[in-house]
Amino acid sequence: GYTGFPCLGVEWQKLENPDMRTALKMKPHHKGVLVRRVEPTAPAHAAVAAYDILLSFDGVDISNDGTVPFRSGERISFSYLVSQKYTNEEAVLRLLKDGKEVTASVSLAAPVKLIPFHIKGAPPSVSMAAPVELIPFHIKGAPPSYFIVAGLVFTPATVPYMRSEYGKEYDFDAPVKLLDKLMHHMAEQPRQQVVLLSQVLAAEVNIGYEEMLNTQVVALNGVKVVDMRHLVSLVDGCTEEYLHFDLDYNQKVVLATAHAKAATQEILAMHCISSDRSPDLPGGAAAAAAAAAAAAANGAPGSSAAAANGADAAAAAAGDKCKEKAGSGKSSRRR
């Protein structure tokens, strides 16, 4: 199938200033660009380091402004050379490391974005240690990934989600910290996600937390949250008296574990949501099957279809009701 364009996985800056070139131990004949950062998930991370100087790509010399020869009399950014390669193809880099020239062969991989254009979740049978498949394209028909406990609705940050929340100009209207993660932060591992407390379905158990919207979940009971599957496993396996959710902006949500889990089913029923999690999460497929079986046994018209599409029901019920309730609060809380 189509794997998209590969990337080298580095951020760079021009080296047009002569003082900068001299300070970096470049000889008069040296030309290239300064590597600022290397993505931890990129294969190049093993061979390229910050402040290395990239002199050439596959034998083509790179100018101090980051360009390479193109058509007759024209030049183009050297990223064009990267785009001509296939995913997992090798490329030969010539680097200057502390004044010494070295050559390295690196593999070019599809980029891993911390906030991707879309996430296709691994099937529930895959262990939590397995990476999710990150696809930077919009795939129609895939239900959103979600998890609900005590009325707290969690979902991963993706570009389609941000667009649905903040409109076409999400890159101006979304919270500043989310935009910073979208544009500047790098994933530290392939399956890493920005997990959001998307909204709160108001209930007695979560009183006082109703206005918390689209804020990143940093940790649960002191354990850093890696992705949605990790969060679900932490909640399901919690044996402590309280669930301590640490959020961005130093916000905190604390719930009594037993009370939170006991109240979840009642809140789901109140909002006509068939399952507390989407099928891509641990236990999600089993929960959806159980909901469908229960609906069929009760003979509720149309409820079997609703159970089979738990994510759609959650998106409709949770999203519409909470947006209507907290629409004005959202605009005032954007950062």
Side-chain angles (χ1 to χ4, degrees), residues 28 42 48 65-66 72 77 91 176 242 248 254 282:
V48 185
D65 64 357
S72 177
S77 172
V176 170
Y242 292 100
D248 223 344
V254 180

Side-chain angles (χ1 to χ4, degrees), residues 147-298:
F147 175 58
I148 303 173
V149 60
L152 308 183
V153 183
F154 301 97
T155 192
T158 63
V159 169
Y161 177 78
M162 292 172 68
R163 184 178 289 116
S164 72
E165 288 289 287
Y166 301 102
K168 292 181 179 179
E169 295 188 349
Y170 67 89
D171 47 349
F172 290 97
D173 294 334
V176 170
K177 283 204 173 186
L178 268 185
L179 292 177
D180 182 50
K181 291 178 176 67
L182 172 66
M183 296 186 217
H184 302 297
H185 284 219
M186 295 178 171
E188 297 175 0
Q189 53 182 290
R191 67 189 184 95
Q192 186 177 358
Q193 296 175 313
V194 174
V195 177
L196 299 177
L197 172 54
S198 168
Q199 52 211 3
V200 179
L201 307 180
E204 184 178 352
V205 67
N206 56 47
I207 189 168
Y209 304 135
E210 303 91 340
E211 295 184 0
M212 292 186 173
L213 305 167
N214 292 330
T215 305
Q216 182 180 4
V217 181
V218 178
L220 174 60
N221 289 349
V223 179
K224 184 177 179 180
V225 173
V226 176
D227 63 358
M228 285 287 290
R229 295 175 66 82
H230 187 211
L231 174 66
V232 170
S233 296
L234 289 174
V235 173
D236 285 350
C238 181
T239 57
E240 299 183 30
E241 185 178 1
Y242 292 100
L243 293 166
H244 288 259
F245 295 93
D246 293 318
L247 310 181
D248 223 344
Y249 307 105
N250 292 329
Q251 296 182 92
K252 184 180 281 288
V253 172
V254 180
L255 298 168
T257 304
H259 189 195
K261 292 182 177 181
T264 298
Q265 290 305 317
E266 181 181 345
I267 295 171
L268 294 179
M270 184 188 308
H271 291 272
C272 303
I273 301 173
S274 59
S275 176
D276 67 342
R277 65 197 70 187
S278 51
D280 60 300
L281 299 176
N298 292 333

